Amino acid sequence: MWAGARRVALRIGGAILVLWAAATVTFFAVRLIPGDPAQAFLGGPGSQASAEALARVRAENGFDLPLWQQYLGYLGRLLRGDLGTSYSLHAPVADVVGEQLLGTLELALWSLVIAWIIALGLALWSVAGGRVAAHVAAGIEMTAAVLPHFWLGSVLILLFATGLGWFPAIATPDARGIILPALTLAIPLAGFLAQLLREALQEAAAQPFVLTARARGESRVGVFARHTLRHAAGPAIGLTGWAFGSLMSGAVVVETIFARPGLGRTLVSAVQVRDVPLVIGLTLVAAAAYLVVSVLSDLAERALNPALRVSRDALVERALEAETPAAPGTFSTPGAFGTSGTSEPSGIFEQPETSGTEPRA
Amino acid sequence: MSSLRRSARHIPQALAALVLLLLVIAAVFPGLFAPGDPLAINPADGFQPPNTTHPFGTDGSGRDLYTRVIHGTGPSLLIGLGATALGIGLATVLGFVAGLGPRWLDFGTSRVIEVMLAFPGLVLALLVMVISGPGAFGATVAVGLATAPGYARIIRGRVREIAGSGFVEAARVQGRGRMRILTRHILPGTARSLASLATLGLGQAIVWVCALSFLGLGVAPPAAEWGALLNDGRQFIATFWWLTFFPGLFIVLTAVSATVLGRGLAKTTRSVS
Amino acid sequence: MNTHRRFPRIAVPAALLLGSALALSACAATTPGTSTAPTNDTLVYASGDAEPTCLDPHVGGNYPQSLLASQFLEQLVSQDKNGDIKPWLAKAWTTSPDGLTWTFTVADNVKFSDGTPLDAAAVVRNIEHVKDPETKSSTGYLALAKVEKATATDTNTVTLNLSQPDSALLESLSQPWLAIESPAGLARSQDENCQAPIGTGAFVVDSWKRQDSVQLSRNPHYTTGNGEAALAKISWRFIPDSATRIAALRSGDVQIIDNAQPDTIASSAASDDIKHLDAPRPGSVNRIEFNSSRGPLADERVREALVRGVDVNAGIKTLFFGTATRSYSPLSSVEKLGYSEPKLFDTDVAAAKKLLDDAGWVPGTDGIREKDGQKLTLAFPVSTNQSIPAEQSLFEQIQQQAKGLGIAITITPLDLSSWYEALGKNEYDLVSAPYTKVGPDVLRILYHSAGITPAPSGYFANHAQVNLPALDDLLTRAAETGDQTERASLYEQAQKTILEGYYILPLYDQQNHFLYSGKLKGVGEVNSVGNPLLRGVSFAG
């Protein structure tokens, strides 16, 4: 009971710590970029702002204060939930984020769904199709996982928009416009997920209950669907948090190519025009999204397979084998498990704790 | 399992190793494969499709694409390896501190890793590139920093696993010193994981550099880095296919070979330990 | 892949033939074609330019703003294809003998789209708005530098009092950055007015979704052209990626694209489905400027060596597929007073090397020349926002050829902010910067020594840092004279001075290519700065 409450408290505390650190790092890093924030405010260095206008903007925004004062001021506003006003768009950061968030979320969710469908399809095929199919599938997965997004996106446009005319090349109000962008993000991710799934499946297929089911006369595919897959999906779902994070970053390329509004594209232009509040705001949103999805995928993983309780170390081991150069240009991190860091005691040089026997999951 | 089938299973790994070996040779001695000058221009001979003189065709300035791709092997692998080394080096320090330190240090370091994971890799890379300006050095640092937290996670777990294993427990009961346990058990145990991680990370790093090039933050011209070549060719994808096909082929070939080899290494690691 | 067959590769000779054909289609009338009946059609325009941060071209004032604003705002005067000034919102004007007082008569019965009438007071309000530092206008502000005061002498008459005579005033007033907006609109907060400025144009701004599009709809009360526009709506999309833009045009998702890349123009010429509009920008030519204020390029011999030691013609032919014509003038080919001197730019590598020897730069062990222990290295920051890929390739060719002369050029691709930063710190030897302004007065902005002193923001326009009192005098006199013959002669002398001093390497006009669907008719009308006007455009039956 208490342990549970402590876990939750630690997790929330950890999340706040993460957000604070992300804001702090961004705040100071953006200051290192050459360029004057007052000029960014007045439309960039090419805008020939007058000396008076520059001075006024500096005073109004506190750019002339020492950096630590600016930082404390920013932090104070952040604590009150005020993300500030974008220098370049002259609109509250919260509004800009709100306007752009939906497009990116929609893209990321569609990509996740499509990636899972492709990954499952490949896994099913390699189980049902025998040795040759397994080898071909493995080759497809590995290649898919390393395709650069911008190349893939251009090829898909060439094939399906200009060539076959099935889908529009750019975002459109109807649902057809999401297909190509989502596929561009999904294909490399599917390659990655499929590899992970395969390792888990091979392990699960060797479990006694699979043999028992087969002995009972269940079909190969039936056993796969009912037993093996359920057993194996856990770790891959656990990775969904990571995948989501990587999709948010990979969205930059896709949003640019397919001319979709979204956070990624906003972020790149915000960095280019030195829009400090917007860069920090977007970083915070991405970090928060990562944290939320991590928790959700954690819970999903447990719910799906409470009995399994694979130890984190076994997961690491398995991932090490399945690990690939993850989805190209997705800005992914190999083996970055979606679950947030464990907070169990460690230290080989300490006495082992008597209470900490709960299996790690 | 017959020895024939056993060795047949290693064919993909052997092939992958061969490809990587050839690439490394091309990186160190590009002149062996392509004696020409990758920067030599011939404007009148621009946009030639692959032919006997130019096996990969030419770009808009009439530069030979084959020569450029071969000479691009060096910078591409160097950035890839440099970034991987930086990422894994940083990760090893963090992973060991978290995995071996006292509880508060683990908590602190784990939070650092967590922050790095939650911090969008893209923002990090963008910031590094804009601060440092375009170039191989900036790209290496950007990709290294962005990939480090993932590695740190794995290493930390691995350190923990070995630290908690029976033989380390036994060693501790026998009263062995910390350093001895560290050097005799934990370092060798993680080293093998690190080796396979490094192989795997290489392909990823190269692909990362491509994304930086796309955002206009890759290496400075006229360097023939693969990501830059691929990005330069992209606008001609519908007209001059060879400009993207060949650099892309080398990127995929390198990354897939590294994956195959890395997975092989990881399997061997497991069967050895 | 069949997609490759559909868009065959264009061989270079064919592209050259094509180039001359394109040149014919280049110019366009300023008066709209035959009026078309209003329809329910929506046109999708795909812009590759940066999305404006404000739709009011008074604020800041760049080319992307003008492209969009030209659909819903109009100016006092316009320019026909011969470069002659024509009435627009002003129906007539006179100037005093000393050139210090200008009187404009406002056209009758023109209404802003909010229903308020266009009158002299509205024009005065606009001039005050541009001159107000709070507006943060740059392009429009500079163009009105000599205007001291604007007064409405009666309902329809505006008097402008100038500090000095301004021979470029009418050309300046034809620019979209000095468009006339509704005073009621200007009375709102700047953020509000930026969202949807109110003008007299053929369309009105409905909404603006950032990173996506601006929606325009037909102005039912439009009278200044040939009546209402045919199109019901325009969806103005921002599509930064050039490969996506052309793909979207080919697949029919959009009907007009701007910033068309040379290879796609060439490959589209093979089909009737896609047509081409070339509208070179006025003002300056696209050129490389040599920073004469520091380092090796302070020596004219080194500048001349660089110009004569590299051949850019072959590169322009291949990289631009015949869509760009080599220029030998500081001014755009659309400027009537442009002066060319091709023989200055004949390539002669031996002569270039001799010039470098004479200047004391001798080849070092690595082939790069040295003088007093200094290497002959030149910094070339390139703005990736402003130089298209073909141009960047051309710069790489120059870099490679310069290496043959013993000159090491370092090209650094930079985003716009970093690029301005490098310029502001005087950390460059070569630079290429666009500048669009109607008329030869652009020379004063770019080459008068007053343009060397940076504004408080660090911005300056004289990147070559030309500092010649004689040239200053020519440019000042040209800007003040009322005599057209004298003006032409002064500008010719000024251009000669700039070219013969090897301060710039002219390349080609500022490229401004549009591709549009063959289903459209009435495309081709452009304003004085090369913005296409869509008021006469319709879908063919």
Side-chain angles (χ1 to χ4, degrees), chain C residues 19 81 319 340 348:
Chain C
K81 61 180 172 186
L319 292 167
S340 290
D348 186 341

Side-chain angles (χ1 to χ4, degrees), chain C residues 433-452:
Chain C
Y435 202 99
T436 300
K437 183 186 193 302
V438 177
D441 186 44
V442 71
L443 295 170
R444 184 179 52 86
I445 291 174
L446 295 178
Y447 304 105
H448 192 288
S449 63
I452 298 175

Side-chain angles (χ1 to χ4, degrees), chain A residues 6 10 13-15 17-19 21-23 25-26 29-30 32-34 131 138 141-143 146-148 150-151 154-155 158 195 198-199 202-203 242 249 252-254 256-257 264 267-268 271-272 274 279 282-283 286-287 290-291 294 312-314 316-318 320-350 352-353 360, chain B residues 5 9 98-104 106-107 110-111 114-115 117-127 130-131 146-151 153-164 168-169 172 177-179 181-182 186 193 196-197 199-205 207-208 210-215 217 227 230-231 234 237-238 244-245 248 251-252 255-256 258-260 262-263 266-267 269-270 273:
Chain A
R6 188 168 160 269
L10 270 175
L17 210 64
V18 166
L19 291 178
V25 171
T26 322
V30 178
L32 290 177
I33 302 179
R131 253 191 117 67
E141 289 158 16
M142 268 189 273
T143 312
V146 298
L147 294 177
F150 68 80
W151 178 84
S154 304
V155 168
L158 205 58
Q195 292 183 61
R198 165 194 306 278
E199 295 295 324
Q202 280 169 1
E203 203 166 289
W242 157 81
S249 291
V252 174
V253 174
V254 169
T256 307
I257 288 188
L267 176 67
V268 172
V271 170
Q272 286 184 348
R274 319 307 186 233
V279 174
L282 292 167
T283 306
Y290 167 82
L291 291 172
S294 291
R312 180 171 302 276
D313 297 339
V316 166
E317 182 76 3
R318 191 181 303 150
L320 253 176
E321 278 161 38
E323 194 50 63
T324 66
T330 53
F331 314 101
S332 55
T333 44
F337 298 109
T339 50
S340 76
T342 52
S343 51
E344 314 95 302
S346 75
I348 47 165
F349 306 117
E350 291 172 15
E353 278 200 338
R360 297 160 177 178
Chain B
R5 279 187 68 182
R9 284 183 62 137
L100 296 178
R103 192 192 293 195
W104 61 269
D106 176 35
F107 182 81
S110 295
R111 293 285 81 75
E114 186 74 0
V115 169
L117 276 171
F119 200 93
L122 170 79
V123 180
L124 203 62
L126 267 178
L127 290 175
V130 176
I131 293 169
T147 49
Y151 297 130
R153 205 65 184 259
I154 295 176
I155 293 165
R156 172 176 169 277
R158 185 84 181 140
V159 168
R160 285 274 203 77
E161 185 196 3
I162 297 169
V168 170
E169 187 65 24
R172 195 181 313 149
R178 289 176 171 216
M179 276 320 286
I181 293 176
L182 188 71
I186 296 172
S193 305
S196 76
L197 265 187
T199 345
L200 297 166
L202 173 66
Q204 194 211 356
V207 165
W208 254 88
C210 290
L212 286 179
S213 289
F214 174 80
L215 296 169
L217 297 168
L230 188 67
N231 188 50
R234 197 179 60 88
I237 197 159
T244 40
F245 179 79
I251 290 170
V252 169
V256 168
T259 311
V260 170
R263 290 175 74 169
K267 283 222 174 72
T269 312
R270 187 138 99 157
S273 63

Side-chain angles (χ1 to χ4, degrees), chain B residues 39 43 61 63 134 234-235 240, chain C residues 9 241 318 389 396-397 400:
Chain B
L39 301 179
S61 296
R63 294 181 293 205
R234 197 179 60 88
Q235 67 149 325
F240 311 121
Chain C
R9 201 172 53 80
D241 191 71
T318 314
E396 285 180 41
Q397 293 189 10
Q400 180 66 13

Side-chain angles (χ1 to χ4, degrees), chain C residues 204-239:
Chain C
V204 295
V205 180
D206 284 344
S207 62
W208 177 14
K209 190 179 175 209
R210 304 252 181 200
Q211 310 264 0
D212 184 63
S213 64
V214 175
Q215 301 296 328
L216 306 171
S217 65
R218 178 196 298 134
N219 174 5
H221 309 298
Y222 185 63
T223 49
T224 31
N226 282 358
E228 278 181 77
L231 297 168
K233 286 184 189 311
I234 299 172
S235 179
W236 194 280
R237 298 282 308 257
F238 301 103
I239 303 185

